[in-house]
Amino acid sequence: MKVKQLAFTALMAALCCILGPLSVPLGSVPVSLGVLAVYLAAYVLGGKWGSLSVLIYLLLGLAGLPVFSGFAGGPGKMLGPTGGFLIGFLFLAAICGGFVTLSDHRKGLARYGLQITGMILGLAACYALGTMYFMFVMKTGLIAALAACVLPFLIFDALKMIMALILGNALRRALTFANLLETSRV
């Protein structure tokens, strides 16, 4: 482990703690900036270290710090209807970060295509886990769960992907130029 990796892992966990609570209630599942924070962690750290930063964020929230949507924290939030989405952040970071790393040596549309694919696949994994967990906790069927947990959020998450694509690439360029980021790590 390098000191830089540990420092960036802590910084990205802190970013998740700052952006995660910022949310707007939309039924049982809020629109939050947590997904954007996870995308940015994946861009800066790659899959392995990005997932570690998300794990730290989740453990801080589980311990009771108000870092989850709506400034909530504790086991109740993890065991509640949105707990599956929080755990899904780990898969989102791993998948997105892996694809971002794969895109490091590509140019133009191939680069952005890989990054967008990673964000979509990671979000799909997060949605799948979150929706299944929501169905279990809320005792609802698939159609009702999709209507509550996925459909209302597609446009918001598409906007977060665009923001992550712009901000994530800008961060990677700036950190690489400053010799603070080693590209091609997973």
Side-chain angles (χ1 to χ4, degrees), residues 91-115:
F91 296 96
L92 175 58
I95 295 167
C96 178
F99 275 83
V100 166
T101 302
L102 285 175
S103 76
D104 274 344
H105 303 294
R106 304 289 194 318
K107 302 273 187 213
L109 290 179
R111 177 186 187 91
Y112 298 123
L114 276 172
Q115 292 173 0

Side-chain angles (χ1 to χ4, degrees), residues 3-185:
V3 173
K4 282 192 286 192
Q5 285 176 315
L6 291 175
F8 278 118
T9 302
L11 282 171
M12 290 296 104
L15 182 68
C16 289
C17 290
I18 292 167
L19 293 180
L22 304 177
S23 62
V24 176
L26 191 66
S28 301
V29 182
V31 175
S32 88
L33 292 179
V35 170
L36 177 61
V38 173
Y39 282 147
L40 293 177
Y43 265 91
V44 171
L45 298 168
K48 179 174 133 184
W49 293 97
S51 296
L52 179 60
S53 72
V54 171
L55 178 62
I56 292 167
Y57 159 71
L58 293 175
L59 290 173
L60 289 170
L62 185 62
L65 292 176
V67 296
F68 298 143
S69 63
F71 295 93
K77 188 71 171 181
M78 292 289 286
L79 298 173
T82 59
F85 292 99
L86 291 170
I87 300 301
F89 282 177
L90 290 167
F91 296 96
L92 175 58
I95 295 167
C96 178
F99 275 83
V100 166
T101 302
L102 285 175
S103 76
D104 274 344
H105 303 294
R106 304 289 194 318
K107 302 273 187 213
L109 290 179
R111 177 186 187 91
Y112 298 123
L114 276 172
Q115 292 173 0
I116 291 168
T117 300
M119 286 190 279
I120 290 170
L121 292 175
L123 187 61
C126 185
Y127 275 162
L129 183 63
T131 302
M132 288 187 295
Y133 190 80
F134 183 88
M135 289 170 53
F136 174 76
V137 171
M138 299 300 285
K139 311 272 190 267
T140 186
L142 179 61
I143 301 300
L146 289 173
C149 300
V150 177
L151 297 177
F153 301 95
L154 292 174
I155 190 87
F156 297 111
D157 287 334
L159 293 172
K160 291 174 204 171
M161 283 182 200
I162 293 167
M163 289 174 60
L165 191 67
I166 295 165
L167 293 173
N169 279 300
L171 273 172
R172 284 182 78 72
R173 270 192 307 279
L175 292 172
T176 302
F177 181 75
N179 203 25
L180 294 172
L181 180 69
E182 299 169 18
T183 55
S184 57
R185 71 166 161 286

